[in-house]
Amino acid sequence: MVGLVGVLGAVAYVVVPQVLPPGPRPLFQMPVGCGETWQLGTYPGHGDNDVDFFPLKGDPWGQPVLASYAGTVTVAGINGSLGGRTPENPEGPRGRGGGYWVKIDHGGRWETQYLHLLEPPMVQVGQRVAQGQQIGRIGSTGNSGAPHLHYEQRAGWRKVETWFDGRPSGITHDDTEYTVRLTSNNCAAAGN
Ligand SMILES: [Zn+2]
């Protein structure tokens, strides 16, 4: 019995992770142009808290994707495979995964992710980006049906509800299809 307790005690000691809570939530802005209204949506099987952005005005292809908050680029490349959906061939073969994508570390264990970009990202790993800085363009690479931006916010290891301009987006669960409309206040770089 003493031996068993000793083993369990040792195992417990080894597996207890060092859990660091995330820092305060950065004041994220929508990853699209200042003053623009976009549709944010999700659908069954999409993933809780995952948001798809579709513009309400103009041709979605090529619209600018902006950093939600200042940070350091930790991924800028291809997730899965690109496929062949382009402005010239929008019904081309679907790829897999996120296609061209970017991940930004905002410090305090907060991250954002931007998927299905049209072209190789406009930023590189290790690069410091400002809030509102363009990181890519809207596309449909990877497993994407139509040009849009798939977007996530993460705190520690967990995806969390996206917040913009200090307010929750309302896109939280994926058990049904629903949308909201929000206007971007990502205006820090408007003069650039
Ligand atoms: Zn998505």
Side-chain angles (χ1 to χ4, degrees):
M1 196 59 194
V2 171
L4 179 59
V5 168
V7 167
L8 291 174
V11 168
Y13 176 79
V14 169
V15 299
V16 169
Q18 193 176 11
V19 178
L20 299 170
R25 181 192 311 273
L27 186 56
F28 292 118
Q29 298 294 344
M30 287 168 59
V32 294
C34 171
E36 297 177 6
T37 300
W38 286 56
Q39 176 179 289
L40 286 64
T42 193
Y43 56 86
H46 189 217
D48 288 343
N49 298 313
D50 290 9
V51 179
D52 284 345
F53 278 80
F54 292 88
L56 292 173
K57 276 190 179 176
D59 183 358
W61 291 104
Q63 292 205 23
V65 175
L66 311 181
S68 278
Y69 193 77
T72 302
V73 176
T74 54
V75 174
I78 298 171
N79 176 270
S81 68
L82 297 175
R85 299 205 160 193
T86 64
E88 297 74 30
N89 189 20
E91 299 301 318
R94 261 191 205 239
R96 289 180 287 104
Y100 285 125
W101 73 306
V102 170
K103 185 192 257 190
I104 301 174
D105 178 354
H106 303 287
R109 305 180 72 244
W110 284 87
E111 295 177 316
T112 52
Q113 297 190 9
Y114 313 74
L115 280 63
H116 310 307
L117 304 178
L118 176 62
E119 300 156 335
M122 299 167 69
V123 291
Q124 296 179 337
V125 171
Q127 182 178 337
R128 185 83 190 159
V129 292
Q131 187 173 51
Q133 182 173 339
Q134 186 174 358
I135 59 174
R137 301 172 70 199
I138 296 283
S140 198
T141 55
N143 183 14
S144 168
H148 74 287
L149 175 69
H150 176 106
Y151 175 88
E152 301 174 13
Q153 292 178 358
R154 289 170 185 260
W157 297 282
R158 291 190 311 114
K159 280 189 280 194
V160 296
E161 181 178 6
T162 51
W163 282 49
F164 301 109
D165 205 29
R167 288 183 287 275
S169 70
I171 306 287
T172 52
H173 59 84
D174 72 345
D175 52 2
T176 185
E177 184 170 343
Y178 59 103
T179 61
V180 300
R181 290 181 175 195
L182 294 175
T183 300
S184 172
N185 195 27
N186 197 344
C187 303
N192 290 354

